[in-house]
């Protein structure tokens, strides 16, 4: 698709001012409704980091209205699910959890229940909510995030259900307040939407066309994050490699990376997701040159077979993908590569699936996000003949996992004795007094240490590799 240069479309200052007025009005309503203590909001995010970043902006607005946040939905006055539509399984979980809210709402009549995100942007979903879940008060799509104050005001004042799921031309709302759970590990959206229309993917339908934030806005937010103590900034977009393509700024993704790399501070830069079609040697050279950019490349290949790739409308071949990998490893010998794979795309044969296995053997990925094909409403692949039964696809899937587990275990074994810089992210789930963090290459590692180190970089020597799980010791 050719996209001509156009001005980036941002929400007007007037519209943003109107929304701020709604925030003030809601503040007044809430102080009357909850005179004793601040009302509580429970926000649950499904899906990708793009959704996490959206939730941070929604929470920012809720916080300004006077809400405080709770992890317990039963005590919440406002419950919001930010939903994901990428696979059927994700949607089923949302419907299940919305159903589970019914008895809670029966006991707490003035609880407001809201649903937003990608699922709501699909007509059949919002209609099902309208029809079958009458206790849901507010539904809004991905284009209305900056209009939460206006929409919530309508619910609070009118008591009627509000549905706002129209697709707009997808403006960018700058200047929204952001509420982050952690200041040291942060998300920074640089673009929204997707123009690629991979034949299996619902994203272009629920998030609209690609639009990049102005480089000045990205840099401004990066500086703010650094001043708040960010140790890791992950740049987000469905396809970060096409950043700036349809804007007049002349700043492409490698240039943007370079600009952020030049900002002073002790922080690392990550980014996701890269599309192989738009991944250039310029980008890989830039990564190699920029000392703050983590040595990690998430480059989804989806399938190792050229016929399947063509049916998926991916825009590259197995050979082109492997060429990129060879180049990345040449300019960054320590690069850690991860990927996404779909098993059982309609019409894929076992022989074709074996090309995916051989690609995994060739690249030796650090880790993989693997999915069985899930038909999505409105996508081209949903109507393609799909003769292989799910049970058969599951077998292929298990075969793939086994191969990857072996490779990851071999790679991890090879790391024993080496020392890595690790950002300490928290305590281990087992609560055994140990800390957990991630290496530059995005591999989890746990080690003994004091909780005061959370949010800091430490040097950790790998002492043990159990399959693909690393443990180590902090080096003084
Ligand atoms: N079925 C299965 N997996 C999918 N993905 C996207 N759409 C589908 C689908 N319909 C996977 C792709 C993508 C990742 C985010 O989700 O691998 O890279
Ligand atoms: Fe979906 Fe393809 Fe866009 Fe990724 S690049 S969001 S897989 S359409």
């Amino acid at each position: 698709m050719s996209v001509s240069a156009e001005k980036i479309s941002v929400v007007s200052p007037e519209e943003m001012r109107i929304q701020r007025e709604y925030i003030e009005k809601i503040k007044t309503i809430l102080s009357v409704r909850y005179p004793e203590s601040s009302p509580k909001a429970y926000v649950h995010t499904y899906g990708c980091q793009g959704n996490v970043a959206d939730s941070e902006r929604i929470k920012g607005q809720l916080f300004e209205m006077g809400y405080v946040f709770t992890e317990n939905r039963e005590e919440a006055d406002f419950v919001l699910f930010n939903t994901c539509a990428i696979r059927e399984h994700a949607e089923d979980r949302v419907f299940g959890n919305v159903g589970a809210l019914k008895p809670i709402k029966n006991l707490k009549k003035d609880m407001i229940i809201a649903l937003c995100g990608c699922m709501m942007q699909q007509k059949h979903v919002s209609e099902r909510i309208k029809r079958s879940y009458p206790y849901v008060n507010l539904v809004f799509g991905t284009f209305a995030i900056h209009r939460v104050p206006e929409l919530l005001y309508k619910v609070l004042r009118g008591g009627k259900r509000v549905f706002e799921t129209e697709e707009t031309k997808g403006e960018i709302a700058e200047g929204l307040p952001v509420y982050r759970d952690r200041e040291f590990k942060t998300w920074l959206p640089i673009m929204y939407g997707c123009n690629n229309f991979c034949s299996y993917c619902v994203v272009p339908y629920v998030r609209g066309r690609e639009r990049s934030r102005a480089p000045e806005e990205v840099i401004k937010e990066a500086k703010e994050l650094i001043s708040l103590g960010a140790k890791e900034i992950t740049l987000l977009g469905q396809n970060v490699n096409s950043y700036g393509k349809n804007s007049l700024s002349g700043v492409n993704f490698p240039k943007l990376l370079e600009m952020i790399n030049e900002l002073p501070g002790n922080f690392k830069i990550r980014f996701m997701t890269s599309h192989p079609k738009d991944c250039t040697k310029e980008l890989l050279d830039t990564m190699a040159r920029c000392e703050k950019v983590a040595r990690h490349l998430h480059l989804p290949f989806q399938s190792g077979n050229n016929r399947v790739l063509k049916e998926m409308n991916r825009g590259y071949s197995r050979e082109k993908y492997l060429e990129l990998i060879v180049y990345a490893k040449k300019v960054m010998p320590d690069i850690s590569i991860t990927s996404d794979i779909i098993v059982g795309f309609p019409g894929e044969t076992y022989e074709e699936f074996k090309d995916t296995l051989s690609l995994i053997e060739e690249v030796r990925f650090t880790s993989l996000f693997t999915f069985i094909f899930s038909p999505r409403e409105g996508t081209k692949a949903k109507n393609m003949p799909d003769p292989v039964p799910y049970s058969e696809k599951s077998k292929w899937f298990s075969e793939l996992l086994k191969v990857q587990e072996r490779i990851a275990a071999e790679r991890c074994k090879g790391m024993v004795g080496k020392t890595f810089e690790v950002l300490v992210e928290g305590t281990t789930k087992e609560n055994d007094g140990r800390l957990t963090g991630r290496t530059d290459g995005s591999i989890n590692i746990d080690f003994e240490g004091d909780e005061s180190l959370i949010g800091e970089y430490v040097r950790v020597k790998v002492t043990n590799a159990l399959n693909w799980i690393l443990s180590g010791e902090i080096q003084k």
Side-chain angles (χ1 to χ4, degrees), residues 86-87 200-201 300 302 340-342 371-376:
I86 199 92
R87 283 170 292 274
Y200 51 81
C201 188
Q302 313 296 1
D340 293 350
I341 298 176
I342 296 178
F371 311 102
I372 294 182
F373 169 75
S374 169
R376 304 284 62 215

Side-chain angles (χ1 to χ4, degrees), residues 421-439:
E421 192 168 35
V422 170
L423 177 60
V424 186
E425 294 189 348
T427 50
T428 52
K429 274 201 200 98
E430 294 75 28
N431 233 342
D432 51 5
R434 289 171 72 78
L435 301 173
T436 168
R438 274 197 310 156
T439 66

Side-chain angles (χ1 to χ4, degrees), residues 274-327:
S274 281
H275 194 307
K277 164 175 79 69
D278 304 299
C279 180
T280 56
K281 290 189 173 163
E282 182 196 2
L283 171 67
L284 300 171
D285 288 337
T286 308
M287 280 181 79
R289 210 172 39 241
C290 291
E291 75 289 352
K292 288 183 180 135
V293 176
R295 289 289 176 265
H296 173 214
L297 180 64
H298 182 64
L299 196 63
F301 72 93
Q302 313 296 1
S303 163
N305 177 271
N306 282 338
R307 190 199 67 82
V308 176
L309 283 172
K310 196 150 198 272
E311 289 295 304
M312 288 178 163
N313 192 30
R314 290 290 288 174
Y316 56 85
S317 63
R318 173 191 176 96
E319 292 72 27
K320 157 92 199 285
Y321 185 85
L322 288 171
E323 201 186 299
L324 282 170
I325 298 294
V326 168
Y327 191 78

Side-chain angles (χ1 to χ4, degrees), residues 25 72 107 118 121 140 249 327 332 334 369 377 395 415 422 431 441 448 472 474 476:
K25 287 182 193 163
N72 176 0
L107 294 173
C118 295
Q121 208 59 56
F140 59 95
S249 72
Y327 191 78
M332 293 170 282
D334 54 346
F369 298 88
E377 203 61 48
K395 281 190 207 149
M415 294 172 78
V422 170
N431 233 342
E448 231 164 72
I474 294 184
K476 299 285 173 222

